[in-house]
Amino acid sequence: MAAPVTRRASHLVTAALAFSGMVVAMMLTLVVPIIPNLPRLVSASVDDASWVITATLLSSAVFTPVSGRLGDMYGKRRMMLISLALMCAGSLICAASSWLPVVVAGRALQGCAVGAIPLGISLMRDLLPPGRLGSAMALMSATMGAGGAIGLPLGALVAQFADWHMLFLVAAAMGAIGLVLTRFLVPDSPLRTGGRFDFLGAAGLSAGLVCFLLPITKGAAWGWTSPLTLGLFAAAVVIFLVWGFVELRTRDALVDLRMTVRREVLITNAASVAFGFGMFGSSLVFPQLLQAPAATGYGLGLSMLEAGLWMAVGGVMMIVLSPVSARLTGTYGPKVTLVIGGLLSAAGYGGALFLMDEVWQVVVASTVVSAGAGLGYAAMPASIMNAVPLSETAAANGINSLMRSIGTSLASAVISAVLAVQTIQLGSAVLPSRTGLQQALAVATAAVGAAVLLSVLLPRRRGTGAGPAPLPGGVQAEPAASSG
């Protein structure tokens, strides 16, 4: 393992990496306030304009595991700098044009930066002293949800008082700051795996993810039973089966599938899908409750900026609770933290089913959901890195981040479908009904409940991701798991 940096330097490393993670997460939600106006802004139909969102989802899903593997091979800081540079380039491209193909290309480049978060977590494991590692990883993990929550009011503020291109200039400027901080405050890790990059594996994984995620995001527009939707899902199954067969027989595989089916890794990744679903569900339901007009019978009539500011409370709570998560994980292990986080989120959603008539009730429910998701997000890297060798931390964290992204995609598809069925007519506008919102909350409750059940199946380990200890000769030993 690399020699840890000094205590003073560890604070600078943590701050630089956490800021970069926050910027990447904020970039994903900065455009949310302008989504209703996107067709007009880019002179396109509603379906075509949605590619501005879909492109980021697809590129992040494809590039995150690839950047993780490249980080293990050629340097995690190097790949993190490349990821941030791609985000800056994509942001400047979007800021310079209103033509849909150009904006979509820029958003695709922005999505390539999402891998910076798992890369940063892996860098922390390589560089920080054990006493600082738990709290630093928890903080970095919390940026995944907190940055997204903070990006909503920031995007609404910029969109309300400036040209929409300014959103991308803000993203470019913040990305540039993150790039400079990472370049000059974060030392490189000397750990490398070497080997050859698995181009065939990367192509197969990319094709499978596109065929799986594209119909999830477009299924509502295309029709869930349309030949195109069903054909892409079928193609995804075939591609993943062939890809897995080939990967198991590839020496330097992009993804070590034998590692991913280890009990702790497999269960944590499955729970990550459920946590991702639960976290994103709050971003879909609670803002609609806050912004819907009072004439709906349930709406609280807030502006987009006001709703974004209230939702940001949950993001701040995730940051505040990051040291609590680190202490819980260090004392009782990631299993306990994941279970507590899932129970908290379930309590928040369950409470919202009955308490949704006042702003403070929605804010409390949203904050409790975010607090639970924050605990869960912070414990996932520790659970993963307790079970994988040092040489595979970036790749393993990249796959875990991909699982959360799949969860958010599923949440968007399922909850949007639920809300589309239960609607009311208000003038010329069609809005979700109170029943539809309650059904969406029930679905999200079930998702985080599944996360709890999966987390219970994890082995009980104490620690915060120090990982398997090296045996003589450089062989990694698996840490012993206690019962529970």
Side-chain angles (χ1 to χ4, degrees):
M1 181 174 177
V5 298
T6 64
R7 180 175 179 83
R8 181 176 181 275
S10 70
H11 290 287
L12 296 176
V13 169
T14 301
L17 293 176
F19 178 83
S20 297
M22 185 76 71
V23 168
V24 169
M26 288 174 60
M27 174 271 299
L28 295 173
T29 56
L30 272 176
V31 298
V32 169
I34 65 170
I35 286 177
N37 299 319
L38 268 178
R40 175 180 58 83
L41 297 175
V42 297
S43 303
S45 66
V46 173
D47 189 44
D48 288 342
S50 67
W51 280 101
V52 173
I53 307 300
T54 303
T56 310
L57 167 69
L58 295 178
S59 64
S60 64
V62 168
F63 196 72
T64 296
V66 171
S67 64
R69 175 61 178 155
L70 289 172
D72 283 332
M73 293 175 64
Y74 302 115
K76 303 176 184 74
R77 188 185 70 157
R78 176 182 296 178
M79 284 310 304
M80 190 165 183
L81 292 173
I82 291 173
S83 298
L84 291 169
L86 289 173
M87 175 191 158
C88 293
S91 301
L92 291 174
I93 289 172
C94 292
S97 178
S98 299
W99 188 36
L100 178 63
V102 174
V103 177
V104 169
R107 286 287 291 168
L109 285 176
Q110 282 188 316
C112 294
V114 174
I117 296 176
L119 285 167
I121 292 171
S122 300
L123 270 171
M124 288 175 171
R125 187 194 195 190
D126 292 352
L127 299 173
L128 299 184
R132 289 280 304 157
L133 181 57
S135 58
M137 286 201 314
L139 176 62
M140 188 72 181
S141 301
T143 64
M144 298 177 192
I150 294 172
L152 287 172
L154 179 59
L157 181 65
V158 173
Q160 184 171 330
F161 296 106
D163 180 78
W164 67 282
H165 293 94
M166 185 61 65
L167 290 172
F168 298 106
L169 289 177
V170 169
M174 297 183 71
I177 294 172
L179 195 152
V180 170
L181 291 176
T182 303
R183 171 63 180 83
F184 292 103
L185 295 181
V186 180
D188 198 9
S189 167
L191 297 177
R192 303 283 193 277
T193 61
R196 294 183 300 176
F197 183 71
D198 180 15
F199 287 99
L200 182 61
L205 179 62
S206 301
L209 287 172
V210 169
C211 288
F212 176 66
L213 293 174
L214 191 55
I216 287 178
T217 58
K218 293 289 190 178
W222 293 346
W224 291 107
T225 58
S226 70
L228 181 56
T229 300
L230 296 178
L232 284 172
F233 277 133
V237 173
V238 173
I239 290 171
F240 279 130
L241 287 174
V242 174
W243 173 78
F245 179 83
V246 173
E247 286 292 278
L248 287 171
R249 287 155 179 79
T250 301
R251 180 178 178 182
D252 295 315
L254 176 73
V255 178
D256 183 354
L257 292 179
R258 293 178 179 84
M259 177 267 292
T260 62
V261 297
R262 293 178 185 174
R263 178 186 173 191
E264 191 161 358
V265 177
L266 181 64
I267 294 175
T268 303
N269 283 336
S272 297
V273 175
F275 267 107
F277 191 112
M279 179 61 194
F280 197 66
S282 66
S283 301
L284 296 171
V285 177
F286 292 129
Q288 297 202 57
L289 276 170
L290 293 171
Q291 294 179 67
T296 59
Y298 64 81
L300 298 168
L302 301 186
S303 69
M304 184 177 295
L305 178 58
E306 291 171 331
L309 288 170
W310 282 120
M311 290 296 293
V313 174
V316 173
M317 181 60 66
M318 294 180 75
I319 298 295
V320 171
L321 285 180
S322 62
V324 177
S325 175
R327 185 175 294 275
L328 273 174
T329 302
T331 304
Y332 302 106
K335 171 181 177 175
V336 173
T337 310
L338 284 166
V339 170
I340 293 175
L343 290 173
L344 267 178
S345 291
Y349 278 126
L353 283 168
F354 308 100
L355 299 173
M356 51 190 292
D357 298 319
E358 302 288 343
V359 171
W360 70 267
Q361 294 174 347
V362 176
V363 173
V364 168
S366 171
T367 303
V368 172
V369 169
S370 296
L375 291 176
Y377 273 29
M380 289 170 198
S383 182
I384 291 291
M385 291 197 291
N386 272 335
V388 302
L390 290 169
S391 60
E392 298 180 10
T393 55
N397 276 307
I399 294 297
N400 184 250
S401 180
L402 171 62
M403 293 301 106
R404 283 191 294 272
S405 296
I406 290 175
T408 61
S409 300
L410 290 172
S412 178
V414 173
I415 290 181
S416 296
V418 170
L419 296 180
V421 171
Q422 299 284 349
T423 61
I424 57 173
Q425 188 82 28
L426 189 64
S428 60
V430 178
L431 299 171
S433 67
R434 184 186 184 97
T435 300
L437 290 168
Q438 288 176 325
Q439 289 177 354
L441 289 168
V443 170
T445 305
V448 291
V452 172
L453 294 177
L454 287 166
S455 300
V456 169
L457 300 176
L458 285 168
R460 177 79 172 273
R461 299 182 191 267
R462 289 183 173 84
T464 54
L471 292 171
V475 179
Q476 294 289 342
E478 293 296 333
S482 60
S483 60

